[in-house]
Each structure stands twice: as C-alpha cells, then as structure tokens.
C-alpha cells in the first residue's frame, strides 16, 4: 500500500475522537470482496473470531486458531482503504499473560496489517491491555457477553442484569483506564450500556446493547441473512441474501437438469469469424 493510501486509513485515535460527535459504524468481514463493501460504509471493520462459526461451521469461537485469523485478516486487509481494521485475538492466544498476548498480538498485526487487536475480558485483562498499549498495540476491549467464555458464563445470555451491572461497569472502566481505545459491549441491557458509555472516555460499541452506545457492530453474515443457524434478537436483517442464494442455486440446478443452461450466449463457437 502506498504512503498516501496509508494516510487515509482511520486510526484508533480517530475512533476515540468520534465519541460524542458521530456514531462509530462497524461490521465484521472475513474476505476481500466483503471487506471492500464494508469499507465504503464503515469506520471500523472487525475480523471477528465469529469467522469460526460463520464461515467454518464451528459450534463456538473456541476452535478458532491464530492461523485462521491471519488468513482471514490478510484477505480483509486487501479489501480495505479507509476503515480501521481490528482483528480478534483467538481463544488461548492471550489469556496466559501479557508476554503471551504481546507475542500473538504483534504477529497478528505484522502478518495482516491490522491497526489494532480486540480481546475479551474485563478487569482481569486490564494489566494485559496496559502492557500491549504501552508497547504500541492498540486494543479494543470486549465485555459483557464474551463468547470465548461461553462455558463459564453458562450460555449466550444477557450480561449485567441486577447486581452484576456494577461489576460490568467496573470491568468497562478498568479496560478503558488500561488504555483500550474502544469497548465492545455485547448483550448488555440498554440502560446499563448507556451508564457505561457516560462513565468512560472512549467509545462504547454495542452489539445487543441498545441505541445509546457510541457505535454499533454486527456480524455481517447475520445482517445480510447469510448465516441462518440461529438469529439473536439483536440482529436486524437488512437483506435476505441466504434466501436469494438458495433460490439462485435451485434455479441453476433446474436449468442444468432441463438442458437450458448453458445457452449459446455462455458457449464458444468452434470457428471464429474472420
Ligand atoms: O467475533 C466477532 O464477530 C465479535 C463481534 C460480535 C463483536 O466479537
């Protein structure tokens, strides 16, 4: 990428500066063509570890590897010109401590060109976030429903209801104070998300966390109707591409069986006219 193109890329500081001014628009992407589409409309494109469930058919994000993230990160990087690219640290790549996290975060950034990493966890991850930020790795934090902890959370349920709300607020404050440039709030009651947003200086980016967040993120295959295994309440379908694709495939199969495809316009003549 040229120096000029690089200068057009948004950086974590640009995302921080949006707080209180304009909503941060974020989607996931896992491939070059989809990254190109997202880049035209988004400020931040996340190479989420949701890739494991959405593209690889895994039952959770726990089986996602560094190699998968790097391959998809490289593909997404080729499709972005403006949006900040953030890449998820997969399960098991950062939890041991700051040194392990630094090694893997540096590798993700060096091999994909991502401008930041995202990792899951609240106050207990604050020392790791501070360690990374101090060494040049911008971090987006992720609290609330943290899918990599599905087994200890006991499922994909709403987080922070009742007495747990105070702990979640403390988690968000801890990761923001540690230097995270934005905090994803997943599946958090809208009122609590608003209180968290008012309590921290960096943008909250909500997914199932109400309209008062400083920005929103969705998994792109969910909002396009491509991923149909399940449909969380917080997903709004902006298109039904899964249904459109199934219809197109059925029509193709019917035309092949009926001898209607390929037609002359899709075939090559034996002789080329002089
Ligand atoms: O992996 C992912 O796509 C995410 C978003 C849902 C925030 O973490």
């Amino acid at each position: 990428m040229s120096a000029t193109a690089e200068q057009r890329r948004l950086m974590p500081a640009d995302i921080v500066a949006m707080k209180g001014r304009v909503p941060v628009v974020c989607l996931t992407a896992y491939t070059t063509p989809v990254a190109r589409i997202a880049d035209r409309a988004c400020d931040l494109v996340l190479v989420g570890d949701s890739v494991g469930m959405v593209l690889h058919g895994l039952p959770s994000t726990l089986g996602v590897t560094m190699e998968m993230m790097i391959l998809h990160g490289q593909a997404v990087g080729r499709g972005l010109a403006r949006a900040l690219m953030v890449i998820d640290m997969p399960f098991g790549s950062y939890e041991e401590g700051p040194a392990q996290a630094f090694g893997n975060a540096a590798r993700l950034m060096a091999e994909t060109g991502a401008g930041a990493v995202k990792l899951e966890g609240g106050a207990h991850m604050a020392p790791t976030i501070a360690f990374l930020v101090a060494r040049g790795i911008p971090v987006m934090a992720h609290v609330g429903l943290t899918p990599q902890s599905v087994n200890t959370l006991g499922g994909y349920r709403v987080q922070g209801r009742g007495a747990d709300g105070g702990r979640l607020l403390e988690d968000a404050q801890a990761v923001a104070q540690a230097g995270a440039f934005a905090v994803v709030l997943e599946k958090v009651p809208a009122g609590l998300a608003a209180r968290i947003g008012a309590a921290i200086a960096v943008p909250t980016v909500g997914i199932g966390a109400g309209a008062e967040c400083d920005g929103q993120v969705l998994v792109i295959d969910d909002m396009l109707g491509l991923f149909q295994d399940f449909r969380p309440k917080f997903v709004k379908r902006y298109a039904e591409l899964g249904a459109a694709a199934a219809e197109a495939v059925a029509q193709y199969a019917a035309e092949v069986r009926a001898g209607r495809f390929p037609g002359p316009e899709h075939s090559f003549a034996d002789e080329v006219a002089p």
Side-chain angles (χ1 to χ4, degrees):
M1 184 183 298
S2 74
T4 324
E6 227 162 25
Q7 278 156 18
R8 294 203 314 272
R9 289 291 278 272
L10 294 182
M11 303 191 75
D14 299 312
I15 303 297
V16 176
M18 293 170 78
K19 188 172 175 98
R21 293 177 41 239
V22 281
V24 182
V25 179
C26 173
L27 281 172
T28 66
Y30 318 110
T31 64
T32 306
V34 171
R36 286 200 182 109
I37 293 168
D39 191 55
R40 288 183 214 128
C42 294
D43 306 303
L44 191 157
V45 169
L46 172 68
V47 189
D49 62 352
S50 49
V51 68
M53 300 174 76
V54 169
L55 290 197
H56 293 269
L58 294 175
S60 74
T61 56
L62 300 186
V64 175
T65 62
M66 284 288 290
E67 286 65 33
M68 285 164 74
M69 294 310 300
I70 288 168
L71 194 67
H72 288 284
Q74 289 170 338
V76 169
R78 289 180 208 115
L80 299 183
R82 174 185 175 270
L84 171 66
M85 174 173 156
V86 178
I87 189 161
D88 257 338
M89 300 200 69
F91 179 63
S93 71
Y94 60 97
E95 298 89 334
E96 273 174 40
Q100 183 211 23
F102 179 80
N104 285 319
R107 183 173 167 216
L108 286 171
M109 288 181 67
E111 295 190 27
T112 67
V117 299
K118 177 167 82 59
L119 56 80
E120 298 182 4
H124 67 288
M125 290 310 302
T128 295
I129 293 172
F131 189 91
L132 296 183
V133 173
R135 287 158 182 79
I137 298 188
V139 178
M140 188 178 195
H142 183 157
V143 301
L145 173 60
T146 45
Q148 293 175 7
S149 301
V150 60
N151 290 311
T152 43
L153 291 176
Y156 295 100
R157 54 178 68 120
V158 177
Q159 301 293 309
R161 283 201 171 122
D164 282 349
R167 184 191 43 80
L168 196 45
L169 174 61
E170 283 168 16
D171 278 338
Q173 286 176 315
V175 294
Q177 277 160 15
F181 72 89
V183 181
V184 170
L185 302 178
E186 180 163 353
K187 226 167 171 185
V188 171
L192 174 61
R195 288 200 296 286
I196 291 174
I200 63 176
V202 294
T204 53
V205 179
I207 175 163
E212 298 297 313
C213 293
D214 299 302
Q216 298 292 330
V217 58
L218 282 177
V219 169
I220 195 158
D221 292 61
D222 283 343
M223 56 89 79
L224 294 179
L226 279 168
F227 183 71
Q228 305 188 338
D229 293 10
F230 49 86
R231 185 175 179 175
K233 177 182 175 178
F234 56 73
V235 171
K236 177 174 176 181
R237 288 257 180 97
Y238 285 83
E240 294 295 344
L241 298 193
E247 204 176 305
V249 168
Q251 188 181 341
Y252 162 76
E255 289 189 10
V256 170
R257 291 194 176 107
R260 288 201 307 273
F261 178 83
E265 70 276 31
H266 306 112
S267 305
F268 300 98
D270 291 301
E271 304 292 339
V272 179

